[in-house]
Each structure stands twice: as C-alpha cells, then as structure tokens.
Amino acid sequence: MRALQTATLLVATLGAGLMAGLFGAFAYAVMPGLARSADRTFVQAMQNINRAIINGWFLLPFLLPIPLLILATVLAWNGHGQVALPWILAALVLYTAGFFVTSGVNVPLNNALDKADTGDDDRAKAARAAFEGRWVTWNLVRALLHTAAFGVLAWALFLHGTGAGTT
C-alpha cells in the first residue's frame, strides 16, 4: 500500500510540476514575447499554439493529477502517511482551482480566438483586444495555483517519504 501511495504522490507531483512550468513559461516568456508582435501575427500564433497543445503530452499531465490526488487523499486517510494528508488536500484544492481556471476561462478564450477572423488588421486587432488581457491575467492565476500545488505536493511527498507520524 505504501508503494502505491508513493507512486501516486510522485506522479501527481510530476504532473503538477509540468503544468506549473508550462503555464509559468507562458507567463514569463511566451506571452511577453508575443506581446511584441503585430496583431495579426499574435492572433495567428496563439491560434496555432492552442491547436497544437491539445495532444497527449499536454492532456496526460494536465488531467491525471486530479484522480491521483483523490486517490492519494484516500490512501493517506486510510493508511500510512496521514501526516501528509493536509498537504495533499491543499494540493487537490489548488490544482483543481487551476484546472477550473483553465477550463472555465482560458479554454473559452482560446475557442473564441480560434474562430476569429484575421482577414484584415481591424479584425485582428479586435480579436487580440478581446483575448490578450484576460488570457494573460488568468494564465498568471493558474500558473500560481499550479505552482503552489506543486510546492505543497513536494512537501507532502517529503513528509510521506520520511514516514513521520506513522506507527
């Protein structure tokens, strides 16, 4: 049972770390770089990124931590590693909040931008104006939530590994 707990925490931590890194990279590199682009270039680049990112390399680490964190909660509640339980629960709340920011704000903005017509400069400028500010703000929120989830999961994994609080 302890090996399953360890594996569950480890994979959830890796997934949270990958998402924190991805969303963080958008916050500190990708979006500031694209902000320097012309409107049409910005919109087309984001459309291409949003289409390309829907793949298994993104979806697996994005979706898998939630069921793993639920399982880790159950395992910690019922077995070894109860000392890590508050940290696992905190990670579940933080990660789920970041998941809902992505699915409730960023994805709908991505979908709206995907339908944008970039046929002329005025339409590209309007599409960018409707997208960029909100997307960047909410990306920062989800980056911080996933980073916090990663941090508390790393701590939970440490506590679990020390065996502190077990009999």
Side-chain angles (χ1 to χ4, degrees):
M1 189 67 79
R2 187 154 171 82
L4 178 60
Q5 287 176 301
T6 303
T8 301
L9 279 174
L10 181 61
V11 174
T13 303
L14 290 172
L18 286 168
M19 291 301 97
L22 174 69
F23 299 143
F26 267 88
Y28 60 72
V30 175
M31 297 311 287
L34 288 177
R36 300 174 181 179
S37 301
D39 295 331
R40 191 178 300 181
T41 301
F42 174 90
V43 171
Q44 289 172 340
M46 283 305 298
Q47 287 172 331
N48 289 332
I49 289 168
N50 291 333
R51 290 173 190 148
I53 203 167
I54 303 303
N55 64 67
W57 293 107
F58 168 77
L59 291 173
L60 186 65
F62 179 62
L63 296 173
L64 191 58
I66 293 175
L68 288 177
L69 287 170
I70 293 169
L71 178 59
T73 299
V74 171
L75 292 171
W77 188 281
N78 292 323
H80 296 287
Q82 283 191 344
V83 68
L85 182 59
W87 300 100
I88 297 168
L89 287 170
L92 178 59
V93 169
L94 291 163
Y95 194 92
T96 303
F99 176 87
F100 282 122
V101 167
T102 299
S103 60
V105 180
N106 293 92
V107 169
L109 287 169
N110 292 347
N111 292 340
L113 189 68
D114 191 55
K115 296 173 188 163
D117 180 3
T118 60
D120 65 50
D121 290 342
D122 289 338
R123 286 184 276 188
K125 184 176 184 171
R128 181 179 187 168
F131 175 84
E132 187 175 17
R134 281 190 68 212
W135 196 95
V136 166
T137 298
W138 286 102
N139 179 67
L140 181 58
V141 170
R142 70 182 177 169
L144 293 171
L145 288 166
H146 285 281
T147 300
F150 173 70
V152 297
L153 270 172
W155 184 245
L157 191 58
F158 171 78
L159 291 174
H160 172 75
T162 65
T166 59
T167 55

